[in-house]
Amino acid sequence: MLKKVLAFCFIFILLFQTVPANAAEKVKRNWQDETIYFLMVDRYNNGDATNDRNVKVLDPVGFQGGDFKGIIDKLDFIKDQGFTTVMLTPIFKNDDRGYDGYRITDFYKTDDHFGTINDFKKLVSEVHKKKMKIIIDFPTNQVSANSSLVKDPKKKKKWFSEETNDQLVSFDHTNPEVNQYLVDAAKWWVTKTDIDGYLLSHANQSPTQFWKQFSSNVKSVKKDFYLLGEIDSKDNKLVKQYQQAGIDGTLDFRLNQPLRDSFANTNQSLKKVLSIEADNRKEFDQPSLMGAFFDNHNMIRYTRDMVINKQFPGTRWKLALTYLYTQPEIPIVYYGSEIAEDSGGVPENRKMMNFRTEKELIDYITMIGEIRQQQPALTKGSMEVLYEKNGMVVFKRQYKDQINLIGINNTDKTQVIKLSKDQLQNDKEELRGLISGGVVRAENGTFKLAFERETSEIYNVVEKTGINFMFIAILVLIWIVFFAFLFIVWKRGKQKKIQ
């Protein structure tokens, strides 16, 4: 009898546990679902003092000690904020001025300031253990004049076209040997280390025919390998040529400045930003594989724009990141943004990361990063603008039956927006806030949304909450079974005492 009661109780517990599991079924994660954290290896974290050769922490253009071990030590810090991919500046061997990784001397070795190839393979392994991905920058246009390739008399004459004033030498991509060398090196790193993608800096300095060869060869090594191109152009026609050559996504430079302008101050219209987003959806086959960003290692930090406008960076960044995390392209966040790093251009914008700062903005990024990963509509869904005026924007993202409503009030006044049910979905009766919480219910077919100045909200659009009789019934049955079990145990104990 006792065994039957225990079995009965166990069945109901399993039944109880399977209810939320089925409801939370996950959608397959693709590249458009990623959130990328971009860092400069030498300027992130020093985890291994044994490779600190010629480190000059007071020299803004000298090596400062960041390495692969330092990144490994901070992977939890990165992952806990909701980032799913780590993107690194070039890791290859550089000359003594190449702290940033762009003065390559050997494509088949890691720079000894960063660690050995085994150290890098361990980094890749640790990233993958945390269910994250890793991308490295693979420059294909220039090398250091001190490269062994340049010093080879035969190669110097045939492989390179010109030398810059900064002692960098440009590859001649009209030479098939050059292209094959770069393709072989790129394939070698994928095979050797199991990385997940390449950032292709200044990709438009190499011809599209080269990228066709590069793409087909590299992707033959690893399924779903991602190529993110840096095309220094705002011309969508030119960008499209490189995407058609096999580059999966490109950094969205056309979107960048309007995006910066829209959130660096209050009461700024988002019409230009939204127009570019709409154009991208029309013109590109896979616009969701493009990368949206506010700043990077070659630009003045975005916080400086806010400071110039005499705005509080914490508030500005929260609104800006809310949009970045809910728009259709892949969000790319440059290290230091999570602490509102304020600096000018190169090399000031490449400071060593400061991990001992106020964590309010980090907590916010963590929250919206989690929201983005839990809401398929934010990464896979369509986008429809429902309201936009002078900094107040409301738009809808929808994937199958799942709908998110995003409201961002980038104005200096409280805004009240009314939306009809048919603007969302007629059978949906409630909006559940995911940032601040709370529920907005439709009244007479209308949702009335109130946003305080400089705030935002991400809503789940759902059916009206009712009494979950099945859930209550399961709970009641479990308690009945539990008390029945206690009663049987008590009764048997009493009978033993009588005997």
Side-chain angles (χ1 to χ4, degrees), residues 26-43:
K26 291 186 177 181
V27 181
K28 182 179 180 289
R29 184 173 133 201
N30 300 313
W31 274 105
Q32 67 199 63
D33 304 314
E34 302 300 311
T35 308
I36 298 176
Y37 187 79
F38 180 38
L39 62 88
M40 180 166 283
V41 180
D42 178 64
R43 301 305 168 90

Side-chain angles (χ1 to χ4, degrees), residues 364-377:
Y364 188 82
I365 293 175
T366 301
M367 176 180 62
I368 61 173
E370 183 178 358
I371 291 172
R372 187 173 189 272
Q373 291 304 309
Q374 290 177 346
Q375 305 295 317

Side-chain angles (χ1 to χ4, degrees), residues 286-324:
Q286 292 184 293
S288 59
L289 292 181
M290 297 179 74
F293 65 103
F294 283 103
D295 56 9
N296 61 28
H297 57 318
N298 294 319
M299 304 169 66
I300 294 173
R301 295 304 307 243
Y302 185 40
T303 301
R304 180 60 57 89
D305 296 10
M306 305 167 187
V307 172
I308 290 173
N309 285 304
K310 299 180 180 178
Q311 297 291 315
F312 177 61
T315 301
R316 299 282 89 218
W317 265 115
K318 287 179 181 179
L319 294 178
L321 287 165
T322 299
Y323 182 79
L324 185 70

